[in-house]
Amino acid sequence: MAGHGDPPEGTPDGPPGGDDEYRSVVFDESFVRAARIQELSARERMAGSEHAVRTRGSRAGAATRGPRRGPHPLLTLFVLLALAFGAAVYLGFRQPSRPPGTPRSAAQLRMTVVPLAPTADVPGGTPAELLANSPAKSFHVGGEGIPTPVPKSTAHFSASQVGTALGIAKSYLVASALNPDVLAGRDRDAVRDLLDPAQTGQFDRSFAAPDADGLHEPAGWLVSFDPAKVRQADGAVRVHGSMAYRESADRALEVSTHHTFVYLLRPAGSTAKDAASLFTVRRELRFRFDMSDLETKRARLVQSDVDAGPEACSAAARKAFAPLLAGASAPSGDPVEVDPFAPGRLTGDLCGALGAPGRSAPAHAASTHAAPTHSPTAH
């Protein structure tokens, strides 16, 4: 029995024939540290511990001490919070605080509408006679007079997107200046439906309460006549002009249009063939498009400059144009003369004189806007 009382580290060279039960086990320091059961210290036993030993090691210790609270769960939580915060910031930049279905704000349309008063009695005649003596004789009819430039890509818009913007602008010109129902005052929705939803409120107010304030003149949006007073003597509207586009510094696509529309009109109650007269509307419009506008096929009209005549100087801010027809004359006054057929910029005066066709526009009429920077060959 003495063999069992020897310490484990006793000499292995015991008496011959002794019990060598422990010879196969080496109780070194590493073995003791690795033990899963450890005897309590004297202080722990005096404290009244229920067990004389305690378990060691990761698995048994975890079962005794409760859940392990290492750094890995905290790191995982931190990563999840960082990802959630990053996603919220990203979505905030993509859709900044606008509830779904809410139209985004758009700049109001700025407009200048200038009546052109005749300096003599308005000439009358048959449509053929009037066109023969007018620059409009060489104009195209209807939409053929609104060619679009060949679309080419810009820094941030593809050629296809440029083509879409040009198509929207042309659709607006056709609807607002050539559509028979719009011209006769029977329909405005054909124009309204092409506008950015954020501008329809300004559009509606312009017709509900017209005002010559540069924001709410119906003629800034479209061309129409009072059917109780005026009818078209020839439904074929003559058109001449051009379109151009460029990308702005704030990455919007801008389309500028410059067109002269010539209408053959007669009094609503007249059937005389020689009672026709010409009415000329020169329009310079500027549109802005972002990706959303191109997707929805809507137009943001930001500038509209219009010269129209023959009209009286008092014709501004009406729901429809009020042409002076064959044989009529303008009230006395001293308007500035403007030729709507001449090249150059539109005048910003409140009223102008309808110059004779072919005469040059006054110098001050060339200061309204800078010329567009990109006008490729039209097709």
Side-chain angles (χ1 to χ4, degrees):
M1 297 299 291
H4 290 283
D6 293 335
E9 56 271 21
T11 174
D13 298 329
D19 189 358
D20 58 351
E21 179 182 353
Y22 297 100
R23 293 180 184 272
S24 61
V25 180
V26 180
F27 293 96
D28 58 4
E29 184 179 356
S30 62
F31 177 87
V32 174
R33 285 200 304 266
R36 296 186 179 275
I37 301 177
Q38 181 181 7
E39 185 179 0
L40 299 179
S41 65
R43 177 172 297 179
E44 289 172 328
R45 290 196 297 271
M46 292 177 64
S49 178
E50 182 179 354
H51 302 284
V53 295
R54 64 167 173 268
T55 57
R56 299 179 61 181
S58 58
R59 295 182 181 176
T64 303
R65 295 188 300 271
R68 182 179 179 180
R69 301 184 180 275
H72 297 292
L74 292 178
L75 179 60
T76 302
L77 180 61
F78 176 78
V79 171
L80 291 176
L81 289 175
L83 290 175
F85 178 76
V89 171
Y90 174 76
L91 293 175
F93 279 113
R94 294 275 295 177
Q95 296 178 340
S97 68
R98 194 176 79 235
T102 302
R104 56 168 164 69
S105 61
Q108 286 190 308
L109 168 62
R110 300 287 177 174
M111 59 185 70
T112 302
V113 180
V114 182
L116 301 180
T119 56
D121 291 348
V122 177
T126 65
E129 293 172 343
L130 294 170
L131 288 173
N133 296 308
S134 167
K137 65 183 178 182
S138 60
F139 288 5
H140 292 286
V141 175
E144 293 183 0
I146 310 177
T148 57
V150 175
K152 296 182 180 180
S153 61
T154 65
H156 299 93
F157 294 89
S158 67
S160 175
Q161 290 170 329
V162 171
T164 299
L166 294 172
I168 298 171
K170 180 172 181 175
S171 296
Y172 187 91
L173 290 171
V174 170
S176 62
L178 299 178
N179 186 312
D181 290 330
V182 173
L183 294 177
R186 294 187 295 267
D187 179 30
R188 291 195 293 268
D189 288 341
V191 178
R192 187 182 188 274
D193 291 344
L194 290 172
L195 288 171
D196 186 296
Q199 289 191 311
T200 56
Q202 183 187 6
F203 179 90
D204 294 340
R205 181 185 165 185
S206 297
F207 291 91
D211 192 350
D213 59 356
L215 295 172
H216 302 100
E217 296 188 63
W221 300 98
L222 54 82
V223 178
S224 68
F225 306 102
D226 185 348
K229 299 178 180 179
V230 179
R231 298 289 178 88
Q232 286 186 263
D234 184 341
V237 181
R238 273 65 179 180
V239 187
H240 177 73
S242 63
M243 300 175 65
Y245 65 88
R246 72 181 184 93
E247 183 175 329
S248 63
D250 58 350
R251 297 187 180 184
L253 191 60
E254 292 189 351
V255 175
S256 300
T257 67
H258 312 263
H259 293 86
T260 298
F261 300 84
V262 180
Y263 305 88
L264 286 156
L265 305 177
R266 62 177 175 81
S270 174
T271 58
K273 295 181 178 180
D274 59 353
S277 59
L278 296 178
F279 187 77
T280 304
V281 179
R282 182 172 173 181
R283 305 174 82 198
E284 295 187 2
L285 308 181
R286 183 162 58 90
F287 302 86
R288 279 173 61 89
F289 299 92
D290 58 20
M291 296 301 180
S292 176
D293 297 316
L294 299 179
E295 291 174 359
T296 59
K297 303 295 189 299
R298 298 296 184 93
R300 275 192 292 162
L301 186 57
V302 297
Q303 185 68 40
S304 175
D305 295 312
V306 178
D307 284 0
E311 278 193 307
C313 290
S314 60
R318 296 184 180 179
K319 292 185 178 180
F321 285 111
L324 294 173
L325 302 176
S329 59
S332 59
D334 188 24
V336 177
E337 182 175 323
V338 175
D339 177 9
F341 295 98
R345 300 291 124 184
L346 296 178
T347 178
D349 297 318
L350 295 178
C351 187
L354 183 63
R359 294 179 58 182
S360 299
H364 74 275
S367 61
T368 305
H369 295 293
T373 59
H374 198 158
S375 183
T377 304
H379 66 85

